[in-house]
Amino acid sequence: MSALSNSSWDRRTVLRAALGLTAAGGLAACGGNTGRSSGGGSGKNLTQYFHAYGEAGTEQAIKKYAKAYKDANVTTQWITGSNFESKLFASLLTDEAPDCFEFHPQLQMIESGQVADLTDLIDPVKDDFNQADIQSHTVDGKIYGIRMIDDPQFFFYRPSMFEKAGVEVPQTLEELIEAAAKLTTDKVKGAYLGNTLHSMVNPLIWSAGAQHLDDKNQIAYHTDTVVDGFKQLRKLFTSGDLLLDAPTDFWDPSALNQGLTAMQWCGMWAMPQMQEALGDDLGIFPFPKVGDAGKLSVYNGGWSMFVNAKGKNLDATKEYVKWLWIDQKEYQEDWALSYGFHIPPRTSIAESADKLKSGLPAEGVKLFNEYGNFDNIGWTQASITALEDVLANSVRKGGDPDAELTKADAKVNRELKKLFG
Amino acid sequence: MSTITKDGVSSPTPAKASPAKPRRGVRGSPTFNFWLFTGPFLIGLAVFVYLPILWSLYLSFFEARFTVTPSTFIGFDNYVTMLTDEDFMGSLVTFTVFAVFIVPTTWAASLGLALMVNRLRFMRAFFRSVFFLPTAVSYVAASLVWKMSIFSGVRFGMMNTFLSLFGIDNTAWLASPDPPWYWLVILTVRLWLQAGFYMILFIAALQNIPQEMYEAAAIDGAKPGWQTFWHITLPQLRATSTAVILLLLVAAYQAFDEFFNLLHKTTWGRPPLVELYYKALGESQDYGAGSAGALILTVLICLVTLLQGKFLGFGRGEESK
């Protein structure tokens, strides 16, 4: 018989036990896995949000940098899953909002007072940044974020497969479709553009010689060539030459590395993994031209650090952000080049980075410089979603691209009116 | 109850202590006890249900993008926006298609499993556990297994590997709405996850049917099998069936996880909760329109529930049958 059964469990004992458990629970919560870097700093407690990068070691690296900062305890929330945006936006409405976070420059965040002006931090080193990065973070002369990494996206391909199929690197979208057909076998699909194909929207617009918005912040994407581009993508989608429903999305190199496809749209971040898997049998080329007036294009994505303007520790957060993303060049280089390949936005770091000076990485930098297009800060989440819906409805669902773009125009115009009046 | 003495004679149970006098003060008050036990629940209900509904009602009349404390009153604009929104109205169609398939299919599958397991003479507990276990799996985990392993579009996806044995080419199950293979993926994952739970309900109901009824039917000449099932088993399961159908319908209204994970960022196959998520909590962060949509949906669910109660008689007493 257990000792317990002899115990006298009256109401007071139960109540005491319950209170004890509650207190213990509270204490356990205090000591739980909050992501805090232990033993790192002192004074203020700061929180930073990062999405989960695919490259091994990135989470440890970010936490290592945070731990090295001595003037505050910096907690890192490493957010897994594909909904970083919605988690970030929702948390920014609450008291639990992060003090700083990574995201892309978007005007709505500035308009709603969510991100702080960082001009004073960046101004002293402004000239050492890629000027397109500075421009994409600037509104009315104020700079609202610090670029951490530049991530060019282009096609990666297997030269051996191209050679075997007698295919040249495509210069136009028609040639890409023809190449995909020739490269397709019973084991390998010609091309992989991601499961949603959403990453095709921006390069399609730029390669068709258009822009998302013009200088007056009015719609500039709805052109006949863009409409034709969507039609051609539909042709590719239904051709049977496109890899569909792969286990991982475009940002992961597995489809190319596992021999499921001969060419894949991906980012330079995955280049080391591809080189490790495929050796020299790897090449890159920009998104081909769409239409006669088209031009080759590369999407220069990336991530930037922003400071929560409504944070309780605004000054301390700005100090931390300045320390890590302005002063600590060693960490910035480590972050850009030790895990995947990203181009450091600081010119001095990019120019001295040996890993980017030769071979395929150097070619990636060249494409970035020659054909790169950056995000427009006025192209916000609502507009992004509107054009992603156009792609879904016209390419994957088979609707009329012109009609779908007209529907998107109404949504985008509503957004532009809210942003610019 | 009595106790046995050494002599083997039972001695009378000691008389119970005289009933305690009614407590004085608040602790003895029935009103106090009522609030003591229901208070925490009511507070929870108020804080987590009624307050959000009221706040949602408030938000629905404001321009509330990227804020839950808006200042621009816009009247019924959000309601007009949602009621004229093709995607939101389309989500109601998606729900209808989903419910029309999943409710009867799950009902039939769980009843079939219950009948099968109930007739087993050995290993009944084992098979009951086997069919019930999927209930413990999260919808997200199951959806990912379905998406990345069973219904992956690549040649080594489980279903494609199986079909290749018959010379059938790879199918991209979730890529395109034409043909709508995605329904097969969604319905099978939910069926797998749910059927075991409802099977348990049916097994309990089956075990409550008096054996005498079957014996009497046999004496009257009823053939075992379909005839007995149709005229005895099924009518006896009426109350359970009604409850199961109601629960299935409520679960269908709450469908989110498998649609969200299997059809990530598509414009089709969005039931109302997924549509409202994208509208209010996703990247759009339009809490005004999202709240309006949520309230429209609430009214709709109330109407459907009332209609269902009227037609299926759920909640009516025996005397009213």
Side-chain angles (χ1 to χ4, degrees):
Chain A
M1 186 179 278
S2 75
L4 265 181
S5 61
N6 285 330
S7 303
S8 156
W9 285 86
D10 60 12
R11 281 176 301 171
R12 284 191 179 81
T13 313
V14 172
L15 189 63
R16 270 190 223 113
L19 287 171
L21 276 174
T22 310
L27 288 171
C30 291
N33 180 12
T34 60
R36 181 182 303 284
S37 317
S38 56
S42 58
K44 302 275 186 190
N45 292 316
L46 307 178
T47 308
Q48 58 179 357
Y49 273 19
F50 275 78
H51 83 286
Y53 285 70
E55 301 94 298
T58 45
E59 183 180 3
Q60 291 78 4
I62 281 295
K63 288 182 176 173
K64 182 183 80 179
Y65 309 152
K67 193 176 176 181
Y69 187 60
K70 300 299 176 194
D71 293 336
N73 292 312
V74 183
T75 302
T76 303
Q77 294 285 331
W78 192 258
I79 297 173
T80 54
S82 56
N83 307 304
F84 175 72
E85 290 90 343
S86 49
K87 284 173 189 166
L88 171 67
F89 289 151
S91 72
L92 284 174
L93 299 174
T94 70
D95 288 341
E96 299 302 311
D99 294 290
C100 56
F101 54 89
E102 61 167 6
F103 201 59
H104 316 289
Q106 291 194 358
L107 189 55
Q108 99 250 329
M109 303 185 88
I110 299 164
E111 293 284 303
S112 50
Q114 288 179 323
V115 292
D117 175 9
L118 303 182
T119 313
D120 55 328
L121 306 188
I122 304 169
D123 250 351
V125 289
K126 191 174 161 184
D127 294 340
D128 190 36
F129 270 90
N130 182 318
Q131 289 310 295
D133 278 328
I134 294 291
Q135 193 188 338
S136 66
H137 291 69
T138 304
V139 175
D140 295 334
K142 294 176 181 172
I143 306 168
Y144 285 89
I146 304 175
R147 193 66 143 183
M148 300 182 298
I149 41 173
D150 280 319
D151 287 329
Q153 295 175 23
F154 26 63
F155 277 104
F156 288 80
Y157 72 102
R158 301 276 299 273
S160 64
M161 291 185 182
F162 272 49
E163 198 178 332
K164 193 177 171 188
V167 172
E168 295 293 319
V169 171
Q171 296 297 309
T172 65
L173 192 51
E174 287 96 335
E175 287 176 13
L176 182 93
I177 295 168
E178 288 166 15
K182 287 180 186 170
L183 289 160
T184 299
T185 67
D186 57 343
K187 299 275 184 203
V188 181
K189 291 288 185 185
Y192 181 50
L193 311 178
N195 285 331
T196 61
L197 275 69
H198 285 172
S199 55
M200 293 295 98
V201 174
N202 291 335
L204 183 71
I205 290 168
W206 291 317
S207 276
Q211 288 292 331
H212 296 75
L213 301 173
D214 63 15
D215 294 340
K216 294 174 183 169
N217 290 313
Q218 291 175 335
I219 287 172
Y221 59 78
H222 193 161
T223 68
D224 291 343
T225 317
V226 171
V227 171
D228 284 343
F230 277 115
K231 286 179 181 168
Q232 288 181 63
L233 275 185
R234 171 69 181 171
K235 190 177 160 192
L236 178 60
F237 182 77
T238 54
S239 65
D241 305 324
L242 198 61
L243 179 65
L244 301 170
D245 279 354
T248 55
D249 216 334
F250 84 96
W251 45 263
D252 185 279
S254 299
L256 193 75
N257 289 357
Q258 293 173 0
L260 295 173
T261 182
M263 50 183 161
Q264 174 180 345
W265 184 260
C266 196
M268 194 161 140
W269 58 81
M271 198 180 270
Q273 282 174 271
M274 291 182 181
Q275 286 179 314
E276 194 181 336
L278 306 170
D280 292 336
D281 189 17
L282 186 67
I284 52 174
F285 64 91
F287 196 95
K289 296 174 188 174
V290 181
D292 296 334
K295 52 186 181 183
L296 303 174
S297 74
V298 164
Y299 174 38
N300 289 343
W303 290 92
S304 312
M305 181 53 63
F306 296 89
V307 171
N308 178 4
K310 296 170 185 168
K312 292 167 195 152
N313 304 301
L314 186 57
D315 291 335
T317 311
K318 285 175 74 171
E319 278 302 311
Y320 167 66
V321 166
K322 177 181 178 294
W323 173 83
L324 181 52
W325 300 111
I326 299 285
D327 300 338
Q328 301 302 312
K329 282 188 162 188
E330 189 187 331
Y331 286 157
Q332 292 158 40
E333 185 174 351
D334 179 63
W335 181 237
L337 296 163
S338 297
Y339 310 98
F341 282 164
H342 312 263
I343 298 176
R346 298 285 292 273
T347 315
S348 56
I349 301 175
E351 285 175 351
S352 65
D354 290 336
K355 288 180 180 175
L356 300 179
K357 283 183 177 168
S358 61
L360 209 57
E363 205 176 325
V365 175
K366 189 166 168 256
L367 293 183
F368 169 82
N369 290 326
E370 283 184 25
Y371 306 113
N373 293 272
F374 289 76
D375 287 316
N376 183 325
I377 198 164
W379 191 252
T380 61
Q381 211 62 51
S383 302
I384 291 169
T385 305
L387 281 199
E388 286 176 348
D389 287 353
V390 170
L391 189 138
N393 287 337
S394 61
V395 178
R396 295 175 70 190
K397 204 174 173 183
D400 173 29
D402 198 22
E404 293 297 331
L405 279 168
T406 303
K407 274 200 280 182
D409 292 349
K411 293 178 188 172
V412 173
N413 274 327
R414 204 179 314 140
E415 178 72 0
L416 294 175
K417 195 177 172 191
K418 283 171 185 167
L419 292 171
F420 301 108
Chain B
M1 188 179 168
S2 61
T3 53
I4 304 299
T5 65
K6 282 180 186 173
D7 304 329
V9 179
S10 66
S11 65
T13 305
K16 284 183 181 174
S18 59
K21 288 179 186 173
R23 287 177 185 279
R24 281 172 294 180
V26 289
R27 290 175 68 187
S29 157
T31 310
F32 173 77
N33 288 331
F34 171 79
W35 286 111
L36 183 68
F37 284 102
T38 58
F41 171 73
L42 289 174
I43 291 169
L45 199 67
V47 171
F48 295 109
V49 177
Y50 294 123
L51 209 60
I53 290 175
L54 289 175
W55 194 251
S56 201
L57 183 68
Y58 171 78
L59 285 175
S60 70
F61 293 108
F62 284 83
E63 164 80 33
R65 291 174 73 245
F66 288 85
T67 179
V68 285
T69 51
S71 55
T72 312
F73 181 78
I74 55 169
F76 285 94
D77 279 8
N78 282 324
Y79 288 91
V80 174
T81 303
M82 291 306 291
L83 287 169
T84 54
D85 185 296
E86 279 180 31
D87 296 335
F88 180 65
M89 299 313 280
S91 74
L92 298 176
V93 175
T94 301
F95 159 73
T96 308
V97 173
F98 178 58
V100 162
F101 277 98
I102 200 67
V103 173
T105 313
T106 313
W107 176 85
S110 51
L111 178 57
L113 285 176
L115 289 167
M116 216 163 63
V117 171
N118 203 41
R119 288 174 70 91
L120 288 175
R121 293 188 183 280
F122 59 95
M123 294 183 79
R124 187 191 288 186
F126 171 76
F127 281 104
R128 204 166 45 199
S129 304
V130 164
F131 292 126
F132 182 73
L133 269 179
T135 307
V137 178
S138 92
Y139 273 65
V140 176
S143 301
L144 292 178
V145 170
W146 250 244
K147 181 181 184 173
M148 299 171 77
S149 178
I150 301 175
F151 288 100
S152 159
V154 296
R155 62 175 185 273
F156 45 76
M158 195 185 288
M159 192 54 77
N160 280 340
T161 305
F162 173 72
L163 292 176
S164 69
L165 299 175
F166 304 96
I168 299 171
D169 283 342
N170 284 353
T171 300
W173 303 95
L174 295 164
S176 164
D178 181 29
W181 287 120
Y182 65 91
W183 277 121
L184 177 71
V185 186
I186 282 170
L187 293 175
T188 50
V189 70
R190 181 163 275 237
L191 195 62
W192 184 73
L193 286 163
Q194 281 193 341
F197 173 74
Y198 295 105
M199 175 199 74
I200 295 291
L201 298 188
F202 276 123
I203 286 176
L206 283 170
Q207 289 172 352
N208 273 337
I209 301 174
Q211 196 57 33
E212 292 82 359
M213 293 190 76
Y214 292 103
E215 289 165 3
I219 290 167
D220 288 345
K223 292 174 190 163
W226 178 250
Q227 204 173 29
T228 309
F229 170 75
W230 188 253
H231 292 289
I232 294 177
T233 311
L234 205 55
Q236 287 295 312
L237 294 177
R238 185 175 180 275
T240 308
S241 285
T242 308
V244 164
I245 289 169
L246 180 73
L247 290 172
L248 282 170
L249 205 59
V250 171
Y253 259 120
Q254 293 174 336
F256 180 85
D257 290 342
E258 71 270 47
F259 284 89
F260 186 76
N261 286 291
L262 290 169
L263 299 173
H264 188 57
K265 291 195 171 181
T266 57
T267 51
W268 54 87
R270 287 183 182 178
L273 286 194
V274 176
E275 183 60 34
L276 288 178
Y277 170 82
Y278 279 119
K279 198 69 72 184
L281 292 172
E283 292 157 11
S284 301
Q285 296 283 302
D286 191 341
Y287 293 96
S291 296
L295 287 163
I296 292 168
L297 193 62
T298 306
V299 171
L300 199 64
I301 291 172
C302 288
L303 282 175
V304 170
T305 309
L306 289 173
L307 284 174
Q308 182 180 293
K310 188 173 173 57
F311 287 117
L312 294 179
F314 185 73
R316 278 207 294 264
E318 287 294 314
E319 69 282 357
S320 62
K321 280 180 186 172

